[in-house]
Amino acid sequence: MLRIACLLLLLTVPVAASADVSASATSYHAVAATASARLTYGGGNGTNSRASGFAEVRTSLRAVARRRSHGSLSVRGGNVRFPVTLTANERATIGERSGPSSPYVEQVCRDRSKRSSTGGLTLKRLSGARVQVIWAFPHARMTACPGPRRAGGKLQGRMSRVLPASRFQAGRVVVTLAGTARFVEGRYRGTYRWRATVTLVRS
């Protein structure tokens, strides 16, 4: 009987531990959020072609997101995701020439669009009771015009901020991410800038 009781005790410990982990998760929803990212670049596609310009995206929390936004932070980390309205704008000046001694003939490419998307934050637990907050909004990229398409994704690891875990115990949390970084993508070189402000409320 003693051996059976010990076995039952061992079987119930993992269940209890799992319940404790689940209970430690804190739920949030977003009540306000804005984000923007912009890249400017220059460079060439080949010996006799070049392009320069910019791409930017601006996002804001959609009205329906107050009902659909959701997220949580547990001992393993977490995230917060919500619907956003995205406005993308890009412009490029493209130069082509027939040979190294010929002048460039330039034309301008423009594109602007607006659509629904998803944005938010990724939350990663660190040692020392800290939380790393990582950008999870859409990135600026050239899509209709020649230019960099992956710069933002490659920089995402730097688009973050470390905060005390105690900050997330408040009923209302305001998180701001902002920065600037240089990038190289193929023959293109440029600068990427980002800024986001998100207000979370405990559910």
Side-chain angles (χ1 to χ4, degrees):
M1 291 294 294
L2 179 60
R3 293 180 62 183
I4 294 175
C6 290
L7 179 59
L8 290 174
L9 179 62
L10 288 173
L11 289 173
T12 57
V13 168
V15 175
S18 177
D20 289 341
V21 169
S22 176
S24 67
T26 304
S27 298
Y28 303 93
H29 65 274
V31 295
T34 58
S36 63
R38 180 184 174 97
L39 67 81
T40 55
Y41 74 98
N45 284 326
T47 305
N48 297 314
S49 65
R50 65 185 184 186
S52 62
F54 72 87
E56 64 181 3
V57 292
R58 295 181 179 277
T59 60
S60 58
L61 184 71
R62 293 179 60 193
V64 296
R66 291 177 181 270
R67 299 188 299 274
R68 297 183 185 175
S69 67
H70 59 85
S72 64
L73 174 63
S74 71
V75 293
R76 294 187 178 91
N79 61 71
V80 181
R81 296 289 187 273
F82 41 80
V84 297
T85 298
L86 179 152
T87 300
N89 184 27
E90 60 184 281
R91 183 181 187 278
T93 300
I94 306 159
E96 301 283 348
R97 63 183 180 182
S98 57
S101 60
S102 302
Y104 281 99
V105 177
E106 294 187 336
Q107 59 179 335
V108 176
C109 173
R110 296 184 179 91
D111 188 70
R112 187 177 180 86
S113 63
K114 187 174 184 178
R115 62 184 185 275
S116 297
S117 187
T118 302
L121 303 169
T122 299
L123 308 174
K124 182 179 179 180
R125 286 280 189 177
L126 303 178
S127 61
R130 299 173 300 157
V131 174
Q132 183 181 21
V133 183
I134 306 169
W135 176 284
F137 287 93
H139 289 292
R141 56 171 56 89
M142 304 300 291
T143 56
C145 303
R149 299 175 183 271
R150 300 180 299 276
K154 291 181 177 180
L155 292 170
Q156 186 155 333
R158 298 176 60 179
M159 300 169 69
S160 66
R161 183 180 179 186
V162 176
L163 298 172
S166 58
R167 178 106 168 246
F168 292 87
Q169 296 305 309
R172 188 182 184 89
V173 185
V174 180
V175 179
T176 299
L177 300 177
T180 302
R182 301 285 297 173
F183 70 85
V184 177
E185 183 180 316
R187 295 176 180 266
Y188 298 116
R189 296 175 180 271
T191 302
Y192 198 91
R193 294 180 173 85
W194 65 90
R195 183 175 182 84
T197 301
V198 180
T199 301
L200 304 175
V201 172
R202 292 182 65 173
S203 303

